[in-house]
Amino acid sequence: MRDEQLSEQFYTEDKLHEECGVFGVYSSKTDRNVAPLVYYGLFSLQHRGQESAGIAVAHDGSIECRKGMGLVGEVFDPATLSQLSGPLAIGHVRYSTAGSSTIENAQPFVSRFKLGSIAVAHNGNLTNATVVRELLEDAGVGFVSSSDSEVIINLIAKNYKKGLEKALTDTIQFIKGSYALVVMTESCLVGARDPHGIRPLCLGKIDEGWVLASESCAIDAVGGEFVRDIDPGEIVVIDQNGVLSFRFGERTRKAVCAFEYIYFARPDSTIDSVDVYQARIRAGEILGREAVVPADIVIGVPDSGVPAAIGYGRATGTPFGFGIVKSKYVGRTFIAPSQDERERAVSVKLNVLKSEVAGKRVVIIDDSIVRGTTSRRLVMLLRQAGAKEVHFRVCSPPVRFPCYFGIDTPHRKDLIGNANSVEEICKAIGADSLAFISTGGLLEALNGENGYCLGCFTGEYPAPTPGEA
Ligand code: SF4
């Protein structure tokens, strides 16, 4: 029952969902215990996945792993954490799609075989996982989970007799889709990013060691120093000799997930040299330029809509205010079984500051509109609070297509942007006006120098989708 309730909650929330965060630490001091650092790193990546958490530690030629369902703080109490000790460790937080919320899919995955042990933590989604899985099963490899990450670890294990580097490059050339990987053997830490760099991964420095993390905020959390992003198509091997970098495959177009900047990543992270907070401010400024409307106040839907509202206010001269309060405590365990209750649940999570909006023409900015249920409820709450006019502005283009690269999207028919015009969406959510940032405006906000994946807005994907892979 509990799994059903959790899935229901996740499945119905009116946002796209990140699927994972990865973290790894290597210390050249063999008596150092880095498990607590991984614990702190995972805490700061908790926004990337709240379903399960795990840490694997290498020590004295073996790998120990603890993982469980729940938040990092629920899975790891002091007693559990104290069972893990060693100078080399990786960790993972996971968000799961409906139906796969099981401990078997929690990561890291650990494989022990006659040449040694490896552990893998993966963020992303393989588009040819089914084919690779069938090939491995035909070769006699058994699986315990439905996770793509187990496909990766079994491929590495199968190739391991060729040596780690060759096993990694062979594996990586075989898999398709998106991946930010941290892999650990008994003596080295490895990071790899897919050839398009769809999911983020960065490198940091700590005293006598190195850190790999999905986002730079996790390097800050352990007192490390950000060094650089891992390049698309790059593998780094970190051991007592330092950081060895090599590339696999031919150079391809960089295509970082645009939604990382719009919504998923923490505002205090920098991804591929773009400051996430500043990108959100710029998106608001550009929205102001593209779709200004006379108003008395601009407010943002917490959290990621707030910097965009600040930017809109700066660009248009509209006073910025905190018009919406978000409950910090409504999260994973909030249950809303029926459509009616789900819509009402928005008011438990987000409430309007009546004194800020009553009698005013309000511009409200959100990062995205996915199903439209939250937007409709917010417009209604603003009107009930006495807003004279409600103008909705959105810092991403309409979400019209599914994501195949590690983000959980509702069925296409449930995406309000799929079959409806902007005017129809405006009517459906009950706003006085509605405007989305243009695709060009979004690219400008992201500083345009990187290539970006815009697949869920345009239907054009940087890599083959399942069936094409
Ligand atoms: S399709 Fe959308 S959510 Fe998926 S990787 Fe591309 S931009 Fe990100």
Side-chain angles (χ1 to χ4, degrees), residues 239-268:
D239 61 14
Q240 58 189 3
N241 300 314
V243 181
L244 171 73
S245 159
F246 56 99
R247 282 169 199 287
F248 56 90
E250 73 267 30
R251 283 194 180 271
T252 40
R253 187 176 72 85
K254 194 172 190 179
V256 191
C257 169
F259 245 109
E260 290 283 352
Y261 301 92
I262 296 164
Y263 172 64
F264 301 134
R266 261 182 39 171
D268 50 337

PDB file of all heavy atoms in Angstrom, residues 239-268:
ATOM      1  N   ASP A 239      42.793   8.069  -9.239  1.00  0.00           N
ATOM      2  CA  ASP A 239      43.440   7.129  -8.313  1.00  0.00           C
ATOM      3  C   ASP A 239      44.658   7.811  -7.714  1.00  0.00           C
ATOM      4  O   ASP A 239      44.771   9.052  -7.778  1.00  0.00           O
ATOM      5  CB  ASP A 239      43.782   5.804  -9.010  1.00  0.00           C
ATOM      6  CG  ASP A 239      44.754   5.985 -10.163  1.00  0.00           C
ATOM      7  OD1 ASP A 239      45.361   7.075 -10.265  1.00  0.00           O
ATOM      8  OD2 ASP A 239      44.902   5.042 -10.963  1.00  0.00           O
ATOM      9  N   GLN A 240      45.588   7.032  -7.174  1.00  0.00           N
ATOM     10  CA  GLN A 240      46.728   7.642  -6.482  1.00  0.00           C
ATOM     11  C   GLN A 240      47.608   8.464  -7.420  1.00  0.00           C
ATOM     12  O   GLN A 240      48.419   9.270  -6.976  1.00  0.00           O
ATOM     13  CB  GLN A 240      47.549   6.582  -5.775  1.00  0.00           C
ATOM     14  CG  GLN A 240      48.063   5.532  -6.734  1.00  0.00           C
ATOM     15  CD  GLN A 240      48.700   4.365  -6.003  1.00  0.00           C
ATOM     16  OE1 GLN A 240      48.694   4.326  -4.792  1.00  0.00           O
ATOM     17  NE2 GLN A 240      49.245   3.427  -6.754  1.00  0.00           N
ATOM     18  N   ASN A 241      47.446   8.282  -8.730  1.00  0.00           N
ATOM     19  CA  ASN A 241      48.230   9.072  -9.690  1.00  0.00           C
ATOM     20  C   ASN A 241      47.556  10.388 -10.057  1.00  0.00           C
ATOM     21  O   ASN A 241      48.055  11.141 -10.876  1.00  0.00           O
ATOM     22  CB  ASN A 241      48.452   8.255 -10.970  1.00  0.00           C
ATOM     23  CG  ASN A 241      49.204   6.972 -10.670  1.00  0.00           C
ATOM     24  OD1 ASN A 241      50.195   6.996  -9.947  1.00  0.00           O
ATOM     25  ND2 ASN A 241      48.702   5.853 -11.185  1.00  0.00           N
ATOM     26  N   GLY A 242      46.392  10.646  -9.504  1.00  0.00           N
ATOM     27  CA  GLY A 242      45.676  11.879  -9.815  1.00  0.00           C
ATOM     28  C   GLY A 242      44.507  11.609 -10.745  1.00  0.00           C
ATOM     29  O   GLY A 242      43.890  10.544 -10.684  1.00  0.00           O
ATOM     30  N   VAL A 243      44.202  12.590 -11.610  1.00  0.00           N
ATOM     31  CA  VAL A 243      43.032  12.484 -12.495  1.00  0.00           C
ATOM     32  C   VAL A 243      43.508  12.255 -13.921  1.00  0.00           C
ATOM     33  O   VAL A 243      44.185  13.090 -14.503  1.00  0.00           O
ATOM     34  CB  VAL A 243      42.183  13.781 -12.443  1.00  0.00           C
ATOM     35  CG1 VAL A 243      40.952  13.657 -13.353  1.00  0.00           C
ATOM     36  CG2 VAL A 243      41.766  14.097 -11.011  1.00  0.00           C
ATOM     37  N   LEU A 244      43.158  11.100 -14.463  1.00  0.00           N
ATOM     38  CA  LEU A 244      43.486  10.790 -15.851  1.00  0.00           C
ATOM     39  C   LEU A 244      42.209  10.949 -16.671  1.00  0.00           C
ATOM     40  O   LEU A 244      41.165  10.419 -16.316  1.00  0.00           O
ATOM     41  CB  LEU A 244      43.991   9.352 -15.947  1.00  0.00           C
ATOM     42  CG  LEU A 244      44.178   8.801 -17.359  1.00  0.00           C
ATOM     43  CD1 LEU A 244      45.405   9.431 -18.016  1.00  0.00           C
ATOM     44  CD2 LEU A 244      44.320   7.284 -17.326  1.00  0.00           C
ATOM     45  N   SER A 245      42.310  11.746 -17.753  1.00  0.00           N
ATOM     46  CA  SER A 245      41.110  11.995 -18.549  1.00  0.00           C
ATOM     47  C   SER A 245      41.281  11.419 -19.944  1.00  0.00           C
ATOM     48  O   SER A 245      42.341  11.553 -20.542  1.00  0.00           O
ATOM     49  CB  SER A 245      40.909  13.514 -18.645  1.00  0.00           C
ATOM     50  OG  SER A 245      40.097  13.826 -19.743  1.00  0.00           O
ATOM     51  N   PHE A 246      40.262  10.771 -20.429  1.00  0.00           N
ATOM     52  CA  PHE A 246      40.286  10.372 -21.841  1.00  0.00           C
ATOM     53  C   PHE A 246      38.887  10.417 -22.417  1.00  0.00           C
ATOM     54  O   PHE A 246      37.895  10.485 -21.687  1.00  0.00           O
ATOM     55  CB  PHE A 246      40.970   9.020 -22.050  1.00  0.00           C
ATOM     56  CG  PHE A 246      40.406   7.877 -21.270  1.00  0.00           C
ATOM     57  CD1 PHE A 246      39.540   6.993 -21.861  1.00  0.00           C
ATOM     58  CD2 PHE A 246      40.765   7.674 -19.937  1.00  0.00           C
ATOM     59  CE1 PHE A 246      39.028   5.918 -21.141  1.00  0.00           C
ATOM     60  CE2 PHE A 246      40.254   6.610 -19.218  1.00  0.00           C
ATOM     61  CZ  PHE A 246      39.385   5.726 -19.828  1.00  0.00           C
ATOM     62  N   ARG A 247      38.835  10.479 -23.728  1.00  0.00           N
ATOM     63  CA  ARG A 247      37.555  10.625 -24.422  1.00  0.00           C
ATOM     64  C   ARG A 247      37.192   9.363 -25.151  1.00  0.00           C
ATOM     65  O   ARG A 247      38.064   8.610 -25.539  1.00  0.00           O
ATOM     66  CB  ARG A 247      37.654  11.753 -25.457  1.00  0.00           C
ATOM     67  CG  ARG A 247      37.563  13.073 -24.831  1.00  0.00           C
ATOM     68  CD  ARG A 247      37.921  14.206 -25.745  1.00  0.00           C
ATOM     69  NE  ARG A 247      38.223  15.333 -24.906  1.00  0.00           N
ATOM     70  CZ  ARG A 247      37.304  16.024 -24.260  1.00  0.00           C
ATOM     71  NH1 ARG A 247      36.032  15.730 -24.426  1.00  0.00           N
ATOM     72  NH2 ARG A 247      37.639  17.009 -23.458  1.00  0.00           N
ATOM     73  N   PHE A 248      35.917   9.177 -25.350  1.00  0.00           N
ATOM     74  CA  PHE A 248      35.488   8.017 -26.122  1.00  0.00           C
ATOM     75  C   PHE A 248      34.611   8.520 -27.264  1.00  0.00           C
ATOM     76  O   PHE A 248      33.972   9.553 -27.154  1.00  0.00           O
ATOM     77  CB  PHE A 248      34.726   7.027 -25.254  1.00  0.00           C
ATOM     78  CG  PHE A 248      33.532   7.629 -24.551  1.00  0.00           C
ATOM     79  CD1 PHE A 248      32.285   7.637 -25.151  1.00  0.00           C
ATOM     80  CD2 PHE A 248      33.672   8.198 -23.292  1.00  0.00           C
ATOM     81  CE1 PHE A 248      31.194   8.194 -24.509  1.00  0.00           C
ATOM     82  CE2 PHE A 248      32.578   8.760 -22.645  1.00  0.00           C
ATOM     83  CZ  PHE A 248      31.340   8.754 -23.251  1.00  0.00           C
ATOM     84  N   GLY A 249      34.645   7.776 -28.350  1.00  0.00           N
ATOM     85  CA  GLY A 249      33.762   8.084 -29.481  1.00  0.00           C
ATOM     86  C   GLY A 249      34.109   9.381 -30.171  1.00  0.00           C
ATOM     87  O   GLY A 249      35.009  10.119 -29.772  1.00  0.00           O
ATOM     88  N   GLU A 250      33.353   9.668 -31.243  1.00  0.00           N
ATOM     89  CA  GLU A 250      33.607  10.898 -31.986  1.00  0.00           C
ATOM     90  C   GLU A 250      32.927  12.062 -31.267  1.00  0.00           C
ATOM     91  O   GLU A 250      32.039  11.870 -30.450  1.00  0.00           O
ATOM     92  CB  GLU A 250      33.116  10.769 -33.440  1.00  0.00           C
ATOM     93  CG  GLU A 250      31.629  10.809 -33.608  1.00  0.00           C
ATOM     94  CD  GLU A 250      30.942   9.442 -33.619  1.00  0.00           C
ATOM     95  OE1 GLU A 250      31.432   8.484 -32.979  1.00  0.00           O
ATOM     96  OE2 GLU A 250      29.892   9.360 -34.244  1.00  0.00           O
ATOM     97  N   ARG A 251      33.370  13.276 -31.594  1.00  0.00           N
ATOM     98  CA  ARG A 251      32.770  14.453 -30.969  1.00  0.00           C
ATOM     99  C   ARG A 251      31.353  14.637 -31.491  1.00  0.00           C
ATOM    100  O   ARG A 251      31.094  14.512 -32.671  1.00  0.00           O
ATOM    101  CB  ARG A 251      33.590  15.702 -31.307  1.00  0.00           C
ATOM    102  CG  ARG A 251      34.840  15.776 -30.486  1.00  0.00           C
ATOM    103  CD  ARG A 251      35.480  17.137 -30.552  1.00  0.00           C
ATOM    104  NE  ARG A 251      36.684  17.132 -29.746  1.00  0.00           N
ATOM    105  CZ  ARG A 251      36.705  17.433 -28.449  1.00  0.00           C
ATOM    106  NH1 ARG A 251      35.607  17.788 -27.832  1.00  0.00           N
ATOM    107  NH2 ARG A 251      37.834  17.383 -27.774  1.00  0.00           N
ATOM    108  N   THR A 252      30.453  14.935 -30.582  1.00  0.00           N
ATOM    109  CA  THR A 252      29.053  15.137 -30.990  1.00  0.00           C
ATOM    110  C   THR A 252      28.591  16.475 -30.442  1.00  0.00           C
ATOM    111  O   THR A 252      29.282  17.102 -29.639  1.00  0.00           O
ATOM    112  CB  THR A 252      28.150  14.034 -30.421  1.00  0.00           C
ATOM    113  OG1 THR A 252      28.583  13.759 -29.103  1.00  0.00           O
ATOM    114  CG2 THR A 252      28.193  12.782 -31.235  1.00  0.00           C
ATOM    115  N   ARG A 253      27.423  16.877 -30.855  1.00  0.00           N
ATOM    116  CA  ARG A 253      26.894  18.171 -30.422  1.00  0.00           C
ATOM    117  C   ARG A 253      26.536  18.121 -28.933  1.00  0.00           C
ATOM    118  O   ARG A 253      25.856  17.196 -28.495  1.00  0.00           O
ATOM    119  CB  ARG A 253      25.641  18.501 -31.244  1.00  0.00           C
ATOM    120  CG  ARG A 253      25.075  19.876 -31.020  1.00  0.00           C
ATOM    121  CD  ARG A 253      23.904  20.128 -31.959  1.00  0.00           C
ATOM    122  NE  ARG A 253      22.712  19.380 -31.594  1.00  0.00           N
ATOM    123  CZ  ARG A 253      21.800  19.796 -30.692  1.00  0.00           C
ATOM    124  NH1 ARG A 253      21.960  20.946 -30.099  1.00  0.00           N
ATOM    125  NH2 ARG A 253      20.747  19.056 -30.413  1.00  0.00           N
ATOM    126  N   LYS A 254      27.036  19.099 -28.204  1.00  0.00           N
ATOM    127  CA  LYS A 254      26.691  19.171 -26.787  1.00  0.00           C
ATOM    128  C   LYS A 254      25.207  19.498 -26.658  1.00  0.00           C
ATOM    129  O   LYS A 254      24.683  20.317 -27.410  1.00  0.00           O
ATOM    130  CB  LYS A 254      27.521  20.281 -26.149  1.00  0.00           C
ATOM    131  CG  LYS A 254      27.535  20.279 -24.646  1.00  0.00           C
ATOM    132  CD  LYS A 254      28.539  21.311 -24.176  1.00  0.00           C
ATOM    133  CE  LYS A 254      28.803  21.229 -22.720  1.00  0.00           C
ATOM    134  NZ  LYS A 254      29.793  22.218 -22.295  1.00  0.00           N
ATOM    135  N   ALA A 255      24.537  18.843 -25.744  1.00  0.00           N
ATOM    136  CA  ALA A 255      23.087  19.047 -25.617  1.00  0.00           C
ATOM    137  C   ALA A 255      22.679  18.872 -24.153  1.00  0.00           C
ATOM    138  O   ALA A 255      22.010  17.905 -23.785  1.00  0.00           O
ATOM    139  CB  ALA A 255      22.334  18.073 -26.515  1.00  0.00           C
ATOM    140  N   VAL A 256      23.089  19.820 -23.333  1.00  0.00           N
ATOM    141  CA  VAL A 256      22.754  19.752 -21.911  1.00  0.00           C
ATOM    142  C   VAL A 256      21.243  19.941 -21.747  1.00  0.00           C
ATOM    143  O   VAL A 256      20.649  20.772 -22.449  1.00  0.00           O
ATOM    144  CB  VAL A 256      23.475  20.885 -21.145  1.00  0.00           C
ATOM    145  CG1 VAL A 256      23.358  20.687 -19.647  1.00  0.00           C
ATOM    146  CG2 VAL A 256      24.921  20.999 -21.572  1.00  0.00           C
ATOM    147  N   CYS A 257      20.647  19.218 -20.840  1.00  0.00           N
ATOM    148  CA  CYS A 257      19.201  19.315 -20.602  1.00  0.00           C
ATOM    149  C   CYS A 257      18.844  20.737 -20.159  1.00  0.00           C
ATOM    150  O   CYS A 257      19.280  21.207 -19.107  1.00  0.00           O
ATOM    151  CB  CYS A 257      18.814  18.333 -19.495  1.00  0.00           C
ATOM    152  SG  CYS A 257      17.133  18.564 -18.878  1.00  0.00           S
ATOM    153  N   ALA A 258      18.025  21.427 -20.962  1.00  0.00           N
ATOM    154  CA  ALA A 258      17.653  22.813 -20.631  1.00  0.00           C
ATOM    155  C   ALA A 258      16.859  22.868 -19.331  1.00  0.00           C
ATOM    156  O   ALA A 258      16.914  23.863 -18.597  1.00  0.00           O
ATOM    157  CB  ALA A 258      16.839  23.403 -21.776  1.00  0.00           C
ATOM    158  N   PHE A 259      16.139  21.788 -19.024  1.00  0.00           N
ATOM    159  CA  PHE A 259      15.321  21.787 -17.814  1.00  0.00           C
ATOM    160  C   PHE A 259      16.157  21.788 -16.532  1.00  0.00           C
ATOM    161  O   PHE A 259      15.671  22.144 -15.470  1.00  0.00           O
ATOM    162  CB  PHE A 259      14.360  20.589 -17.807  1.00  0.00           C
ATOM    163  CG  PHE A 259      12.922  21.010 -17.869  1.00  0.00           C
ATOM    164  CD1 PHE A 259      12.171  20.798 -19.009  1.00  0.00           C
ATOM    165  CD2 PHE A 259      12.325  21.648 -16.795  1.00  0.00           C
ATOM    166  CE1 PHE A 259      10.849  21.197 -19.078  1.00  0.00           C
ATOM    167  CE2 PHE A 259      11.007  22.057 -16.853  1.00  0.00           C
ATOM    168  CZ  PHE A 259      10.262  21.831 -17.995  1.00  0.00           C
ATOM    169  N   GLU A 260      17.422  21.377 -16.649  1.00  0.00           N
ATOM    170  CA  GLU A 260      18.285  21.475 -15.459  1.00  0.00           C
ATOM    171  C   GLU A 260      18.313  22.923 -14.965  1.00  0.00           C
ATOM    172  O   GLU A 260      18.254  23.188 -13.772  1.00  0.00           O
ATOM    173  CB  GLU A 260      19.715  21.011 -15.782  1.00  0.00           C
ATOM    174  CG  GLU A 260      19.847  19.515 -16.027  1.00  0.00           C
ATOM    175  CD  GLU A 260      19.837  18.685 -14.746  1.00  0.00           C
ATOM    176  OE1 GLU A 260      19.884  19.255 -13.649  1.00  0.00           O
ATOM    177  OE2 GLU A 260      19.762  17.450 -14.863  1.00  0.00           O
ATOM    178  N   TYR A 261      18.411  23.853 -15.897  1.00  0.00           N
ATOM    179  CA  TYR A 261      18.515  25.277 -15.534  1.00  0.00           C
ATOM    180  C   TYR A 261      17.155  25.854 -15.167  1.00  0.00           C
ATOM    181  O   TYR A 261      17.040  26.704 -14.290  1.00  0.00           O
ATOM    182  CB  TYR A 261      19.091  26.074 -16.710  1.00  0.00           C
ATOM    183  CG  TYR A 261      20.452  25.598 -17.125  1.00  0.00           C
ATOM    184  CD1 TYR A 261      20.600  24.632 -18.107  1.00  0.00           C
ATOM    185  CD2 TYR A 261      21.598  26.098 -16.510  1.00  0.00           C
ATOM    186  CE1 TYR A 261      21.840  24.171 -18.486  1.00  0.00           C
ATOM    187  CE2 TYR A 261      22.849  25.646 -16.881  1.00  0.00           C
ATOM    188  CZ  TYR A 261      22.962  24.683 -17.864  1.00  0.00           C
ATOM    189  OH  TYR A 261      24.200  24.231 -18.220  1.00  0.00           O
ATOM    190  N   ILE A 262      16.125  25.389 -15.871  1.00  0.00           N
ATOM    191  CA  ILE A 262      14.783  25.946 -15.649  1.00  0.00           C
ATOM    192  C   ILE A 262      14.255  25.534 -14.283  1.00  0.00           C
ATOM    193  O   ILE A 262      13.671  26.337 -13.566  1.00  0.00           O
ATOM    194  CB  ILE A 262      13.814  25.441 -16.754  1.00  0.00           C
ATOM    195  CG1 ILE A 262      14.252  25.950 -18.123  1.00  0.00           C
ATOM    196  CG2 ILE A 262      12.379  25.838 -16.456  1.00  0.00           C
ATOM    197  CD1 ILE A 262      13.595  25.200 -19.285  1.00  0.00           C
ATOM    198  N   TYR A 263      14.486  24.270 -13.927  1.00  0.00           N
ATOM    199  CA  TYR A 263      13.773  23.759 -12.756  1.00  0.00           C
ATOM    200  C   TYR A 263      14.559  22.783 -11.881  1.00  0.00           C
ATOM    201  O   TYR A 263      14.549  22.893 -10.655  1.00  0.00           O
ATOM    202  CB  TYR A 263      12.480  23.087 -13.240  1.00  0.00           C
ATOM    203  CG  TYR A 263      11.724  22.336 -12.179  1.00  0.00           C
ATOM    204  CD1 TYR A 263      11.182  22.993 -11.077  1.00  0.00           C
ATOM    205  CD2 TYR A 263      11.545  20.952 -12.279  1.00  0.00           C
ATOM    206  CE1 TYR A 263      10.493  22.287 -10.106  1.00  0.00           C
ATOM    207  CE2 TYR A 263      10.846  20.255 -11.305  1.00  0.00           C
ATOM    208  CZ  TYR A 263      10.322  20.920 -10.225  1.00  0.00           C
ATOM    209  OH  TYR A 263       9.648  20.235  -9.264  1.00  0.00           O
ATOM    210  N   PHE A 264      15.274  21.800 -12.485  1.00  0.00           N
ATOM    211  CA  PHE A 264      15.791  20.699 -11.659  1.00  0.00           C
ATOM    212  C   PHE A 264      16.913  21.121 -10.717  1.00  0.00           C
ATOM    213  O   PHE A 264      16.930  20.756  -9.556  1.00  0.00           O
ATOM    214  CB  PHE A 264      16.328  19.559 -12.528  1.00  0.00           C
ATOM    215  CG  PHE A 264      15.308  18.972 -13.444  1.00  0.00           C
ATOM    216  CD1 PHE A 264      15.609  18.723 -14.766  1.00  0.00           C
ATOM    217  CD2 PHE A 264      14.045  18.673 -12.979  1.00  0.00           C
ATOM    218  CE1 PHE A 264      14.669  18.188 -15.610  1.00  0.00           C
ATOM    219  CE2 PHE A 264      13.091  18.131 -13.815  1.00  0.00           C
ATOM    220  CZ  PHE A 264      13.406  17.891 -15.145  1.00  0.00           C
ATOM    221  N   ALA A 265      17.895  21.818 -11.258  1.00  0.00           N
ATOM    222  CA  ALA A 265      19.111  22.046 -10.482  1.00  0.00           C
ATOM    223  C   ALA A 265      18.879  23.065  -9.371  1.00  0.00           C
ATOM    224  O   ALA A 265      17.957  23.881  -9.439  1.00  0.00           O
ATOM    225  CB  ALA A 265      20.229  22.530 -11.407  1.00  0.00           C
ATOM    226  N   ARG A 266      19.738  22.995  -8.370  1.00  0.00           N
ATOM    227  CA  ARG A 266      19.652  23.986  -7.302  1.00  0.00           C
ATOM    228  C   ARG A 266      20.184  25.320  -7.809  1.00  0.00           C
ATOM    229  O   ARG A 266      21.113  25.364  -8.610  1.00  0.00           O
ATOM    230  CB  ARG A 266      20.468  23.509  -6.087  1.00  0.00           C
ATOM    231  CG  ARG A 266      19.571  22.881  -5.053  1.00  0.00           C
ATOM    232  CD  ARG A 266      20.228  22.412  -3.818  1.00  0.00           C
ATOM    233  NE  ARG A 266      21.293  23.217  -3.257  1.00  0.00           N
ATOM    234  CZ  ARG A 266      21.832  22.972  -2.059  1.00  0.00           C
ATOM    235  NH1 ARG A 266      21.378  21.977  -1.323  1.00  0.00           N
ATOM    236  NH2 ARG A 266      22.821  23.710  -1.612  1.00  0.00           N
ATOM    237  N   PRO A 267      19.621  26.439  -7.317  1.00  0.00           N
ATOM    238  CA  PRO A 267      20.049  27.739  -7.854  1.00  0.00           C
ATOM    239  C   PRO A 267      21.498  28.078  -7.526  1.00  0.00           C
ATOM    240  O   PRO A 267      22.105  28.907  -8.197  1.00  0.00           O
ATOM    241  CB  PRO A 267      19.092  28.735  -7.190  1.00  0.00           C
ATOM    242  CG  PRO A 267      18.508  28.013  -6.019  1.00  0.00           C
ATOM    243  CD  PRO A 267      18.512  26.557  -6.364  1.00  0.00           C
ATOM    244  N   ASP A 268      22.064  27.405  -6.508  1.00  0.00           N
ATOM    245  CA  ASP A 268      23.457  27.698  -6.156  1.00  0.00           C
ATOM    246  C   ASP A 268      24.425  26.773  -6.894  1.00  0.00           C
ATOM    247  O   ASP A 268      25.594  26.680  -6.524  1.00  0.00           O
ATOM    248  CB  ASP A 268      23.664  27.592  -4.632  1.00  0.00           C
ATOM    249  CG  ASP A 268      23.117  26.298  -4.047  1.00  0.00           C
ATOM    250  OD1 ASP A 268      22.230  25.677  -4.663  1.00  0.00           O
ATOM    251  OD2 ASP A 268      23.583  25.893  -2.968  1.00  0.00           O
TER     252      ASP A 268
END
